[in-house]
Amino acid sequence: MRIVLLGAPGSGKGTQAKLIVKERQIPHISTGDLLRGAIADQTELGLAAKKVMDAGELVSDEIVLGMLKDRLNQPDAAKGFVLDGFPRNVRQAEMLEELLSELDIQLDHALLIQVNPDEVVARIAKRAQEEGRTDDTEEVVRNRLEVYREQTEPVADFYRKQDIVSEIHGTGSIEEVHDRIQAVFRF
Ligand code: AP5
C-alpha cells in the first residue's frame, strides 16, 4: 500500500504514520525526519536546510526530491510506504508523479487529516515544551501554517482530480483518529 499523508503542521501526520506502518509493515518516510537527520549529521545539506526550517519555510524542491528518491530506491520501500511531509506543493506532487511512474507504481490513498488551527497551535506549543523542536516557536508555527495554506493545501486538489483523497477528522484521541483511517482502508 502506498499512502501520502496530508495535513497542517501538528495535525498528527507523524503520529498516525507510525501506527499505520506498524500494522502494515511498510516504511514511514518523513521528509521532515530525513532533513532533521541531515542536520544531526551536520552535512552541508543539513546546515543549509536548518536555516530554512527554523524560519518555517520550505526547503528547495530539488534537495527534498533528491533525498526522497534515495529513500524510495531502498529495498524496503518496494512493498509500499507511508509518505509524511511530501508533497508540500503542487510542483512536488508533479515531481512525485514522475518519480513513481519511472518506478512503474501508483499511489493508493492521499489521506487529508483535518484539524482546526487553534488545536494545532495548542498541540505544537505542548510539544515545544516537551521536545524543544527549534521550529516549534509560536512565530515560526504561524509561518508554517501560512506556508501550509498557500502552498500545501492545493496539493489536496491535485489528488482529488485522481479521486484518491479521503478526508479524516483529526481531533479526538490518537486511537479515534487511527480508527477513522482504518475505516478508509477497508473501502
Ligand atoms: P515536518 O517535519 O514535515 O513538520 P510538519 O508538517 O510541520 O508537521 P509536524 O511534525 O509539526 O506535525 P505532524 O502533522 O507530523 O503532527 P505530529 O504527529 O508530529 O516539516 C518540518 C519542516 O521541514 C518544514 O517546515 C520544512 O521546512 C521542511 N520540510 C519537510 N518536508 C518538506 C518538503 N517536502 N519540502 C520542503 N520542505 C520540507 O503531532 C504533533 C503533536 O501533536 C505531537 O506532540 C503529537 O504527540 C500530538 N498529537 C498527535 N495527534 C494527537 C491527537 N489526536 N490529540 C492530541 N495530540 C496529538
Side-chain angles (χ1 to χ4, degrees), residues 33-115:
D33 286 349
L34 291 174
L35 287 163
R36 282 184 286 275
I39 293 172
D41 292 343
Q42 300 196 316
T43 65
E44 205 176 312
L45 185 157
L47 294 175
K50 181 167 169 44
K51 289 189 194 129
V52 180
M53 292 168 77
D54 281 350
E57 297 292 331
L58 296 184
V59 176
S60 96
D61 295 336
E62 282 68 25
I63 288 181
V64 184
L65 185 79
M67 294 178 89
L68 179 67
K69 223 174 194 172
D70 289 347
R71 184 63 189 86
L72 285 178
N73 277 318
Q74 288 174 26
D76 64 340
K79 56 188 175 176
F81 49 79
V82 178
L83 204 46
D84 161 12
F86 193 101
R88 217 55 175 224
N89 56 34
V90 171
R91 180 151 181 262
Q92 290 187 4
E94 289 164 352
M95 290 165 130
L96 179 63
E97 281 296 272
E98 263 174 52
L99 179 56
L100 295 181
S101 92
E102 279 166 25
L103 299 170
D104 205 18
I105 52 179
Q106 287 182 330
L107 292 174
D108 299 300
H109 294 281
L111 291 179
L112 173 59
I113 306 179
Q114 297 277 24
V115 176

Side-chain angles (χ1 to χ4, degrees), residues 6-18 28 30-33 35-36 49-50 52-61 64-65 84-89 92 113 115 119-120 122-124 126-128 130-131 133 135-136 140 144 147-148 170-177:
L6 302 171
S11 57
K13 301 181 297 296
T15 303
Q16 295 300 327
K18 287 184 183 70
H28 171 199
S30 154
T31 46
D33 286 349
L35 287 163
R36 282 184 286 275
K50 181 167 169 44
V52 180
M53 292 168 77
D54 281 350
E57 297 292 331
L58 296 184
V59 176
S60 96
D61 295 336
V64 184
L65 185 79
D84 161 12
F86 193 101
R88 217 55 175 224
N89 56 34
Q92 290 187 4
I113 306 179
V115 176
E119 167 86 15
V120 297
R123 284 184 189 178
I124 292 180
K126 187 160 176 260
R127 184 174 64 190
E130 289 166 358
E131 296 175 22
R133 212 171 106 173
D135 61 347
D136 275 350
V140 177
R144 283 162 60 198
V147 169
Y148 173 76
T171 41
S173 71
I174 290 170
E175 294 72 26
E176 282 166 344
V177 178

